[in-house]
Structures are given as structure tokens and as C-alpha cells.
Amino acid sequence: ALEVQLTPALVVLRSTLQQLQDKDTACIFTTPVNLKEVPDYLEFVSEPMDFSTMREKLEAQKYCSVADLEADFNLMVSNCLRYNSSDTVFHRAALQLRQVGGAILRRAQRQALSAG
Ligand SMILES: CCOC(=O)c1ccc2c(c1)NC(=O)[C@@H](C)N2
């Protein structure tokens, strides 16, 4: 049907999100940053993002393409790079996740094209 062709199968989006989350071995992106623990977070970050929020959006069919998923992934990574100074574990983890995540997302784009 048309909607199947226009939207990469949920299976591609779900597997891409899972592959990205598997690379967060420190599990620092699993849930939203705890604003009680990090009270000044919203002074630096206007739109928090994390993998649990991305999963909710995916299951609510808010992602119509791999590009939509990629946009929230990039938001999550850039929030972390902005809030955490470069000499922190968080900042270094975000740089590494951006690197390995980029390759996963490029492959997913190709898969989506062949599926579509
Ligand atoms: C229990 C205390 O947790 C944190 O302070 C904390 C926990 C997780 C975090 C984070 C802070 N900061 C971040 O930028 C994102 C990536 N992750």
C-alpha cells in the first residue's frame, strides 16, 4: 500500500534505534537528563532528547523517515556536547557515539531506500 512505500518500514526504524542505543554502552543517553540532579541543564539545552523519548516517538509513528530519527539523534548528541565540557566522560562519549552512529544511520538510509 502507499503508506508502506512512503514510510520506511517500522522495522528499519526500530532496528536502527536499537543499533544506536547498543553503542551507548555507558547508558548515559537511556533516559532524559534528571533536571533535579542537573538543575541548570535547561539554561543550556532548549530541547532535551534521549533514547527513551525517541522510542516513544517511534512507536507513536512520529518518525516518517530515517532522517527524522537522525534529527533527534543529532539533537541528543549536540545537547550533550553543549552542556558537558570537552574534558568530561559525557562529552567524549557523545563524540564517539556521533561517529559510530553516523555509519549506522547511513546504512539505514540505504536499507530504507531499498525497502521503499
Ligand atoms: C544521577 C546523576 O546523573 C547525571 O548527572 C547525569 C546522568 C546522565 C546524563 C547526564 C547527567 N548528562 C548528560 O549530558 C546526559 C548525556 N546524560
Side-chain angles (χ1 to χ4, degrees):
L2 183 60
E3 67 275 4
V4 169
Q5 275 132 25
L6 288 181
T7 309
L10 271 182
V11 67
V12 171
L13 292 171
R14 278 199 192 104
S15 90
T16 304
L17 180 56
Q18 189 57 56
Q19 289 171 61
L20 292 170
Q21 188 153 14
D22 289 347
K23 300 301 180 185
D24 175 24
T25 50
C27 298
I28 65 171
F29 296 101
T30 308
T31 55
V33 171
N34 184 328
L35 300 179
K36 293 180 189 55
E37 303 273 347
V38 191
D40 67 342
Y41 190 69
L42 296 182
E43 290 170 33
F44 298 83
V45 169
S46 58
E47 189 182 355
M49 188 48 65
D50 69 285
F51 281 128
S52 72
T53 303
M54 290 173 69
R55 185 163 305 280
E56 282 163 15
K57 289 179 73 171
L58 189 153
E59 297 305 335
Q61 306 201 11
K62 294 208 172 127
Y63 296 134
C64 299
S65 66
V66 170
D68 291 345
L69 186 74
E70 183 168 20
D72 271 352
F73 175 78
N74 290 338
L75 171 64
M76 181 181 76
V77 167
S78 57
N79 288 345
C80 181
L81 294 174
R82 182 177 320 122
Y83 181 78
N84 301 281
S85 57
S86 55
D87 62 344
T88 62
V89 168
F90 290 129
H91 191 102
R92 294 180 195 287
L95 288 175
Q96 192 175 358
L97 186 63
R98 184 176 67 183
Q99 186 89 27
V100 73
I104 290 168
L105 286 157
R106 277 191 296 283
R107 189 170 58 233
Q109 287 282 16
R110 287 198 299 276
Q111 280 171 336
L113 272 177
S114 59

Short mmCIF file of all heavy atoms in Angstrom, two decimals, residues 37-63:
data_model
loop_
_atom_site.label_atom_id
_atom_site.label_comp_id
_atom_site.label_asym_id
_atom_site.label_seq_id
_atom_site.Cartn_x
_atom_site.Cartn_y
_atom_site.Cartn_z
N GLU A 37 18.79 16.46 39.36
CA GLU A 37 20.24 16.20 39.55
C GLU A 37 21.06 17.26 38.82
O GLU A 37 22.18 17.58 39.23
CB GLU A 37 20.60 14.83 38.95
CG GLU A 37 19.82 13.67 39.51
CD GLU A 37 20.46 13.09 40.77
OE1 GLU A 37 21.62 13.44 41.04
OE2 GLU A 37 19.79 12.32 41.46
N VAL A 38 20.51 17.77 37.71
CA VAL A 38 21.25 18.73 36.88
C VAL A 38 20.38 19.98 36.72
O VAL A 38 19.79 20.21 35.66
CB VAL A 38 21.57 18.08 35.50
CG1 VAL A 38 22.56 18.94 34.73
CG2 VAL A 38 22.10 16.67 35.66
N PRO A 39 20.26 20.80 37.77
CA PRO A 39 19.27 21.88 37.81
C PRO A 39 19.48 22.98 36.76
O PRO A 39 18.52 23.63 36.37
CB PRO A 39 19.39 22.44 39.23
CG PRO A 39 20.68 21.93 39.76
CD PRO A 39 21.01 20.68 39.03
N ASP A 40 20.70 23.16 36.28
CA ASP A 40 20.93 24.25 35.30
C ASP A 40 20.88 23.75 33.85
O ASP A 40 21.19 24.50 32.93
CB ASP A 40 22.29 24.92 35.56
CG ASP A 40 23.45 23.97 35.28
OD1 ASP A 40 23.21 22.73 35.21
OD2 ASP A 40 24.60 24.44 35.11
N TYR A 41 20.44 22.49 33.69
CA TYR A 41 20.52 21.88 32.34
C TYR A 41 19.76 22.71 31.31
O TYR A 41 20.26 22.96 30.22
CB TYR A 41 19.98 20.44 32.39
CG TYR A 41 20.24 19.66 31.12
CD1 TYR A 41 21.53 19.29 30.77
CD2 TYR A 41 19.20 19.30 30.27
CE1 TYR A 41 21.78 18.57 29.60
CE2 TYR A 41 19.43 18.59 29.10
CZ TYR A 41 20.72 18.22 28.77
OH TYR A 41 20.95 17.51 27.61
N LEU A 42 18.57 23.18 31.66
CA LEU A 42 17.72 23.89 30.68
C LEU A 42 18.21 25.31 30.41
O LEU A 42 17.69 25.98 29.52
CB LEU A 42 16.25 23.89 31.15
CG LEU A 42 15.60 22.50 31.23
CD1 LEU A 42 14.13 22.62 31.65
CD2 LEU A 42 15.72 21.74 29.91
N GLU A 43 19.23 25.75 31.13
CA GLU A 43 19.84 27.05 30.78
C GLU A 43 20.71 26.89 29.53
O GLU A 43 21.02 27.86 28.85
CB GLU A 43 20.71 27.55 31.95
CG GLU A 43 19.89 27.99 33.17
CD GLU A 43 20.79 28.24 34.38
OE1 GLU A 43 21.95 28.69 34.17
OE2 GLU A 43 20.33 27.95 35.50
N PHE A 44 21.10 25.64 29.25
CA PHE A 44 22.00 25.41 28.11
C PHE A 44 21.29 24.65 26.98
O PHE A 44 21.67 24.74 25.83
CB PHE A 44 23.22 24.57 28.56
CG PHE A 44 24.08 25.25 29.58
CD1 PHE A 44 23.75 25.19 30.93
CD2 PHE A 44 25.20 25.95 29.19
CE1 PHE A 44 24.54 25.82 31.88
CE2 PHE A 44 25.99 26.58 30.15
CZ PHE A 44 25.67 26.51 31.48
N VAL A 45 20.25 23.88 27.35
CA VAL A 45 19.61 22.98 26.38
C VAL A 45 18.13 23.32 26.29
O VAL A 45 17.40 23.22 27.29
CB VAL A 45 19.81 21.50 26.82
CG1 VAL A 45 18.94 20.57 25.99
CG2 VAL A 45 21.28 21.11 26.72
N SER A 46 17.71 23.72 25.07
CA SER A 46 16.30 24.14 24.94
C SER A 46 15.38 22.94 24.69
O SER A 46 14.22 22.94 25.09
CB SER A 46 16.17 25.14 23.78
OG SER A 46 16.64 24.53 22.58
N GLU A 47 15.90 21.91 24.03
CA GLU A 47 15.06 20.74 23.73
C GLU A 47 15.79 19.46 24.11
O GLU A 47 16.55 18.90 23.30
CB GLU A 47 14.67 20.71 22.24
CG GLU A 47 13.62 19.65 21.91
CD GLU A 47 13.27 19.58 20.43
OE1 GLU A 47 13.78 20.42 19.65
OE2 GLU A 47 12.51 18.67 20.04
N PRO A 48 15.60 18.97 25.35
CA PRO A 48 16.26 17.72 25.75
C PRO A 48 15.82 16.55 24.87
O PRO A 48 14.71 16.57 24.31
CB PRO A 48 15.77 17.51 27.20
CG PRO A 48 15.37 18.88 27.67
CD PRO A 48 14.84 19.58 26.44
N MET A 49 16.68 15.58 24.69
CA MET A 49 16.35 14.38 23.91
C MET A 49 17.15 13.20 24.46
O MET A 49 18.27 13.39 24.95
CB MET A 49 16.65 14.60 22.43
CG MET A 49 16.16 13.49 21.48
SD MET A 49 14.46 12.93 21.71
CE MET A 49 13.57 14.43 21.28
N ASP A 50 16.54 12.02 24.41
CA ASP A 50 17.18 10.80 24.89
C ASP A 50 16.56 9.61 24.17
O ASP A 50 15.54 9.75 23.50
CB ASP A 50 16.99 10.66 26.41
CG ASP A 50 15.53 10.37 26.71
OD1 ASP A 50 14.71 11.30 26.62
OD2 ASP A 50 15.21 9.20 26.98
N PHE A 51 17.15 8.43 24.35
CA PHE A 51 16.68 7.26 23.61
C PHE A 51 15.26 6.82 24.01
O PHE A 51 14.49 6.35 23.15
CB PHE A 51 17.65 6.08 23.78
CG PHE A 51 18.89 6.16 22.92
CD1 PHE A 51 20.16 6.02 23.49
CD2 PHE A 51 18.79 6.36 21.55
CE1 PHE A 51 21.31 6.07 22.68
CE2 PHE A 51 19.92 6.42 20.74
CZ PHE A 51 21.19 6.27 21.32
N SER A 52 14.89 6.98 25.29
CA SER A 52 13.53 6.55 25.68
C SER A 52 12.48 7.43 25.01
O SER A 52 11.44 6.95 24.56
CB SER A 52 13.38 6.57 27.20
OG SER A 52 13.32 7.91 27.67
N THR A 53 12.77 8.70 24.90
CA THR A 53 11.86 9.63 24.21
C THR A 53 11.79 9.30 22.72
O THR A 53 10.72 9.31 22.12
CB THR A 53 12.34 11.08 24.41
OG1 THR A 53 12.41 11.35 25.82
CG2 THR A 53 11.39 12.09 23.76
N MET A 54 12.95 8.96 22.14
CA MET A 54 12.96 8.59 20.73
C MET A 54 12.13 7.34 20.49
O MET A 54 11.38 7.23 19.51
CB MET A 54 14.40 8.39 20.25
CG MET A 54 15.19 9.68 20.17
SD MET A 54 16.94 9.44 19.80
CE MET A 54 16.84 8.87 18.11
N ARG A 55 12.22 6.39 21.43
CA ARG A 55 11.43 5.15 21.26
C ARG A 55 9.94 5.45 21.35
O ARG A 55 9.16 4.95 20.55
CB ARG A 55 11.82 4.12 22.34
CG ARG A 55 11.13 2.76 22.13
CD ARG A 55 11.79 1.66 22.90
NE ARG A 55 13.21 1.54 22.61
CZ ARG A 55 13.73 0.93 21.54
NH1 ARG A 55 12.91 0.37 20.66
NH2 ARG A 55 15.03 0.87 21.35
N GLU A 56 9.54 6.32 22.27
CA GLU A 56 8.12 6.69 22.38
C GLU A 56 7.64 7.34 21.08
O GLU A 56 6.58 7.03 20.56
CB GLU A 56 7.92 7.66 23.55
CG GLU A 56 7.92 7.01 24.92
CD GLU A 56 8.14 8.02 26.04
OE1 GLU A 56 7.99 9.25 25.79
OE2 GLU A 56 8.47 7.61 27.16
N LYS A 57 8.47 8.23 20.53
CA LYS A 57 8.09 8.92 19.29
C LYS A 57 7.99 7.92 18.14
O LYS A 57 7.06 7.97 17.33
CB LYS A 57 9.10 10.02 18.96
CG LYS A 57 9.02 11.21 19.89
CD LYS A 57 10.05 12.30 19.58
CE LYS A 57 9.72 13.07 18.33
NZ LYS A 57 10.63 14.27 18.17
N LEU A 58 8.93 6.98 18.10
CA LEU A 58 8.93 5.97 17.04
C LEU A 58 7.64 5.15 17.10
O LEU A 58 6.92 5.01 16.10
CB LEU A 58 10.16 5.07 17.18
CG LEU A 58 10.45 4.07 16.06
CD1 LEU A 58 11.94 3.77 16.01
CD2 LEU A 58 9.66 2.79 16.20
N GLU A 59 7.29 4.67 18.28
CA GLU A 59 6.09 3.83 18.44
C GLU A 59 4.80 4.62 18.24
O GLU A 59 3.78 4.06 17.88
CB GLU A 59 6.10 3.13 19.80
CG GLU A 59 7.27 2.18 20.02
CD GLU A 59 7.38 1.10 18.93
OE1 GLU A 59 6.36 0.76 18.29
OE2 GLU A 59 8.50 0.63 18.69
N ALA A 60 4.90 5.94 18.44
CA ALA A 60 3.74 6.81 18.16
C ALA A 60 3.71 7.22 16.69
O ALA A 60 2.94 8.09 16.29
CB ALA A 60 3.79 8.05 19.05
N GLN A 61 4.61 6.60 15.90
CA GLN A 61 4.72 6.85 14.45
C GLN A 61 4.97 8.33 14.15
O GLN A 61 4.43 8.87 13.19
CB GLN A 61 3.48 6.30 13.74
CG GLN A 61 3.29 4.84 14.10
CD GLN A 61 2.44 4.06 13.10
OE1 GLN A 61 2.12 4.52 12.02
NE2 GLN A 61 2.09 2.84 13.50
N LYS A 62 5.79 8.96 15.01
CA LYS A 62 6.15 10.37 14.77
C LYS A 62 7.35 10.49 13.83
O LYS A 62 7.68 11.57 13.36
CB LYS A 62 6.44 11.07 16.10
CG LYS A 62 5.20 11.17 16.99
CD LYS A 62 5.25 12.36 17.92
CE LYS A 62 3.92 12.50 18.63
NZ LYS A 62 4.09 12.56 20.10
N TYR A 63 8.02 9.37 13.54
CA TYR A 63 9.15 9.37 12.60
C TYR A 63 8.66 8.81 11.27
O TYR A 63 8.25 7.66 11.18
CB TYR A 63 10.31 8.53 13.12
CG TYR A 63 10.94 9.04 14.39
CD1 TYR A 63 11.22 8.18 15.44
CD2 TYR A 63 11.27 10.39 14.55
CE1 TYR A 63 11.81 8.63 16.61
CE2 TYR A 63 11.84 10.87 15.72
CZ TYR A 63 12.11 9.99 16.74
OH TYR A 63 12.68 10.46 17.91
#
